[in-house]
Amino acid sequence: DVKVTQSSRYLVKRTGEKVFLECVQDMDHENMFWYRQDPGLGLRLIYFSYDVKMKEKGDIPEGYSVSREKKERFSLILESASTNQTSMYLCASSRLTYGYTFGSGTRLTVV
Amino acid sequence: KNEVEQSPQNLTAQEGEFITINCSYSVGISALHWLQQHPGGGIVSLFMLSSGKKKHGRLIATINIQEKHSSLHITASHPRDSAVYICAVIRGSQGNLIFGKGTKLSVKP
């Protein structure tokens, strides 16, 4: 069964901490995406990557960075976590415009 | 104005009812997805459409490219259909999705 796996379902971090959210896919997909989902705002794109070591900013990249050193892994980094980054984070992958598969999400709370 | 608009935002139905969720978009697209999100967060792709109609079990999705409109229908609804249904359109050749804000469906027994 094809999968996108996010390393944590729930995470609690302190303000100012550096936070890593990991996402791994086993489908050899070129594209990988990080979204955050907030009530009333829906899903918003933070960053995406269409190839190893390539990254593009999405709609809300401020306060985040990403890393894609291997095709299967796409990491989202919160350099200095803040309370307004408390959210649900969803990773997805696709083969170009097909085969979208989402992870189960990581609910991050910054205290 | 959002590029993808869904209606209604919330929908409560009795088991067995026929349900329709609508999606309108204002941008040029290559395809449209209907997604399902259950409590707990995980999202599943139900359909990807670029024209016409698709059916899977009790779910039917249609799209009218000229009118920039899509509908998701659920026949003989069941409490296990309770979820958030999200319309998303594919923008650009690299496949970025633009999402609607979702329709929260609750089916009562």
Side-chain angles (χ1 to χ4, degrees), chain A residues 29-94:
Chain A
H29 281 172
E30 295 84 2
N31 293 347
M32 295 188 76
F33 307 86
W34 274 107
Y35 299 96
R36 65 177 281 177
Q37 185 179 32
D38 300 289
L41 297 176
L43 281 139
R44 294 178 291 166
L45 179 65
I46 305 170
Y47 268 96
F48 70 99
S49 168
Y50 53 88
D51 202 351
V52 176
K53 296 194 187 293
M54 305 301 286
K55 60 184 179 184
E56 295 284 343
K57 292 180 180 179
D59 299 314
I60 50 164
E62 297 78 17
Y64 303 94
S65 62
V66 290
S67 171
R68 194 166 180 200
E69 296 296 318
K70 293 185 178 181
K71 191 174 186 180
E72 67 269 20
R73 186 180 295 268
F74 192 35
S75 302
L76 179 69
I77 304 154
L78 286 65
E79 297 289 344
S80 177
S82 64
T83 55
N84 64 12
Q85 293 177 310
T86 291
S87 186
M88 168 71 90
Y89 290 87
L90 284 147
C91 175
S93 72
S94 74

Side-chain angles (χ1 to χ4, degrees), chain A residues 9 31 33 35 37 40-45 48 50 56 59 88 90 94 96-98 100 102-104, chain B residues 30-31 33 35 37 40-45 48 84 86 90-97 99-101:
Chain A
R9 287 302 306 274
N31 293 347
F33 307 86
Y35 299 96
Q37 185 179 32
L41 297 176
L43 281 139
R44 294 178 291 166
L45 179 65
F48 70 99
Y50 53 88
E56 295 284 343
D59 299 314
M88 168 71 90
L90 284 147
S94 74
L96 299 178
T97 60
Y98 292 88
Y100 276 92
F102 287 83
S104 298
Chain B
S30 56
H33 278 268
L35 309 169
Q37 185 175 33
I43 292 177
V44 174
S45 178
M48 188 178 82
V84 175
I86 302 169
I90 298 174
R91 74 176 161 186
S93 59
Q94 288 168 341
N96 297 343
L97 293 174
F99 297 88
K101 294 197 175 158

Side-chain angles (χ1 to χ4, degrees), chain B residues 36-66:
Chain B
Q36 182 191 56
Q37 185 175 33
H38 279 283
I43 292 177
V44 174
S45 178
L46 298 173
F47 295 103
M48 188 178 82
L49 292 162
S50 53
S51 64
K53 176 178 170 178
K54 286 190 176 180
K55 185 175 189 289
H56 185 256
R58 294 180 294 105
L59 301 177
I60 303 165
T62 63
I63 188 168
N64 185 318
I65 296 291
Q66 287 73 30

Side-chain angles (χ1 to χ4, degrees), chain B residues 4-25:
Chain B
V4 181
E5 297 275 2
Q6 279 185 244
S7 63
Q9 281 188 298
N10 293 283
L11 183 55
T12 299
Q14 287 299 126
E15 184 172 357
E17 284 185 9
F18 180 84
I19 288 162
T20 296
I21 300 169
N22 294 300
C23 175
S24 296
Y25 53 92

